[in-house]
Amino acid sequence: MANSPNIRVAIIGLGFGAEFIPIYQSYPGAEIAAICRRSTKELDECGDRWKIQKRYTRFEEVLNDPEIDAVHINSPIQDHAPQSIAALKAGKHVACTVPMATSVEDCRAIVEAQRASGKVYMMMETVVYSREYLFVKDLYDKGELGRIQFLRGSHQQDMEGWPGYWEGLPPMHYATHCVSPCLAILGKHAEHVVCHGSGRIDEKLIPKYGSPFAIESATFKIRDSDVCAEVTRSLFDTARQYRESFDAYGSKKSFEWQQVDGEEPVIHTRGLAEPEIPKRVPVPDFAHLLPEPIQRFTTKGVYDADDEQHLSFTQGGGHGGSHPHLVHAWLSAIRGERPALPDAETSANWTMVGLLAHESAMAGGEKKVIPTF
């Protein structure tokens, strides 16, 4: 990198985005070069707290700064695609919170922009770096699950009181948290999807996106595989404690995510006496996979007080310790040490499962083929 041995990162959006600042500041070979937020007051509060000198209120100013190598985008979801495309065209590496985009056309445009730029794009999907997923993937890689027969994901959340752009959002437009583990574990993409909507949200929420469903439930075929997966999403008017979950059913063992926060997940082992088949198991932490200076961030947030933490962090139980793993994966990809996971094509596939699932639900369960770019 010109003028600096470090990867110089700008954080865009400082609500959820601020959760990552001290991780980058502690990461060997990286630095927070700038922060960006529309509100000058909140921008300065964050900059003063974390001692960051360079502060921008306009995204375009970040892109025009030659001393910034990479941008980590944490903006509202409607900004993800235009900001990602602009950053790639400006020659910046891009990390972007989920989902990649809100249309198939924008997913394609990001993939094309990434290829043209030669820069790294990575969607910062938390679940595939959570300790629960890493535990299941480790069991699968060791052969303990045997042949995977079926996969299931569920992400249910009450988003009442969140910023207005969330109100009435089609549940499957924000589906990557349950789609991604079902595809990542096999390292394959989804081929086609069928989805049905169920129930009805408050009438005043419907007009914004034209989506009436309280719950959307989809099944999708995994390409070059005999495995099918099922995912369920809800955002409004459905009584359920926050839950991100992932179940993997294998020929030897199966893993089922805990039903209630605070419980342990269950491993079912084939061939045992019926009462002995299920067993609750503790999930280990995977901090040992990380550089030592950021290992502590798998078990605590970046803030000391609970009331300072972003709602997505507290509702999501800290996202399974995933944040430092995401930072490490993205920066390692920028350094050329390993491919981004998910890269642009994979991010598009994971996102389009949800986008096309919603189209399927609106069309009464019509099968939708997921395009390849």
Side-chain angles (χ1 to χ4, degrees):
M1 304 290 175
N3 303 323
S4 174
N6 292 336
I7 299 171
R8 298 165 298 185
V9 178
I11 297 278
I12 315 302
L14 299 174
F16 176 52
E19 292 283 347
F20 290 87
I21 289 174
I23 302 175
Y24 286 110
Q25 289 179 327
S26 301
Y27 191 92
E31 62 183 88
I32 293 290
I35 52 176
C36 179
R37 189 169 193 169
R38 294 182 180 94
S39 165
T40 302
K41 177 178 180 292
E42 293 168 345
L43 176 70
D44 287 339
E45 287 175 354
C46 185
D48 291 347
R49 173 164 193 163
W50 299 109
K51 298 179 174 58
I52 300 165
Q53 299 304 313
K54 194 175 286 189
R55 308 169 189 182
Y56 294 113
T57 56
R58 296 177 60 248
F59 183 63
E60 294 75 18
E61 294 174 318
V62 176
L63 300 188
N64 289 332
D65 187 338
E67 295 184 348
I68 291 172
D69 305 307
V71 296
H72 182 169
I73 297 168
N74 301 277
S75 306
I77 58 174
Q78 65 269 21
D79 295 333
H80 291 180
Q83 289 187 343
S84 294
I85 293 166
L88 289 165
K89 288 182 175 179
K92 313 296 187 187
H93 300 286
V94 174
C96 184
T97 191
V98 302
M100 181 189 224
T102 58
S103 72
V104 171
E105 293 73 21
D106 281 346
C107 288
R108 181 190 299 273
I110 294 171
V111 171
E112 291 175 350
Q114 184 278 320
R115 289 174 179 163
S117 71
K119 298 298 180 180
V120 171
Y121 172 93
M122 180 173 146
M123 184 173 71
M124 301 294 262
E125 173 48 63
T126 56
V127 173
V128 295
Y129 290 96
S130 69
R131 61 182 66 88
E132 291 90 349
Y133 172 79
L134 294 174
F135 177 56
V136 181
K137 182 67 163 63
D138 187 53
L139 292 176
Y140 176 60
D141 289 345
K142 290 176 178 175
E144 292 190 31
L145 300 184
R147 182 186 187 91
I148 288 185
Q149 307 286 26
F150 181 67
L151 297 158
R152 178 188 291 124
S154 175
H155 179 195
Q156 294 187 262
Q157 182 172 11
D158 183 357
M159 301 201 77
E160 183 178 356
W162 281 65
Y165 61 83
W166 289 103
E167 293 177 348
L169 186 77
M172 282 291 173
H173 273 211
Y174 190 61
T176 63
H177 288 336
C178 51
V179 169
S180 61
C182 299
L183 293 170
I185 194 167
L186 294 176
K188 298 179 182 293
H189 289 178
E191 183 176 285
H192 55 73
V193 62
V194 171
C195 182
H196 290 87
S198 182
R200 193 171 183 87
I201 58 175
D202 190 302
E203 295 298 322
K204 68 178 181 292
L205 297 178
I206 295 173
K208 183 172 287 191
Y209 295 97
S211 175
F213 303 121
I215 293 179
E216 291 180 327
S217 187
T219 53
F220 55 91
K221 175 70 170 58
I222 299 175
R223 185 177 297 128
D224 300 323
S225 166
D226 53 14
V227 179
C228 176
E230 171 195 328
V231 293
T232 300
R233 283 293 282 118
S234 65
L235 293 169
F236 295 96
D237 294 316
T238 303
R240 181 63 167 93
Q241 182 188 43
Y242 184 97
R243 185 188 193 217
E244 290 173 13
S245 74
F246 168 56
D247 301 334
Y249 293 91
S251 59
K252 297 178 180 178
K253 291 182 179 180
S254 297
F255 173 92
E256 290 183 334
W257 199 290
Q258 56 272 23
Q259 284 285 339
V260 178
D261 187 39
E263 295 180 343
E264 291 179 330
V266 177
I267 295 282
H268 297 263
T269 302
R270 184 175 169 219
L272 299 180
E274 194 69 22
E276 298 172 8
I277 290 174
K279 181 181 180 182
R280 291 203 179 271
V281 293
V283 174
D285 194 52
F286 285 81
H288 65 276
L289 300 178
L290 300 168
E292 191 280 330
I294 65 167
Q295 290 180 1
R296 68 187 187 277
F297 293 111
T298 64
T299 53
K300 74 183 291 290
V302 303
Y303 298 131
D304 295 326
D306 287 342
D307 60 359
E308 291 183 308
Q309 291 176 1
H310 192 266
L311 187 56
S312 68
F313 186 86
T314 53
Q315 269 197 337
H319 294 148
S322 60
H323 295 180
H325 290 282
L326 287 164
V327 168
H328 182 48
W330 182 46
L331 296 178
S332 296
I334 291 173
R335 290 198 301 253
E337 295 170 357
R338 57 172 162 167
L341 176 66
D343 61 13
E345 290 182 22
T346 301
S347 301
N349 187 261
W350 292 359
T351 298
M352 289 189 297
V353 170
L355 297 176
L356 291 171
H358 176 63
E359 288 188 17
S360 172
M362 295 298 289
E366 182 180 300
K367 184 171 89 170
K368 298 289 181 179
V369 175
I370 299 164
T372 56
F373 305 140

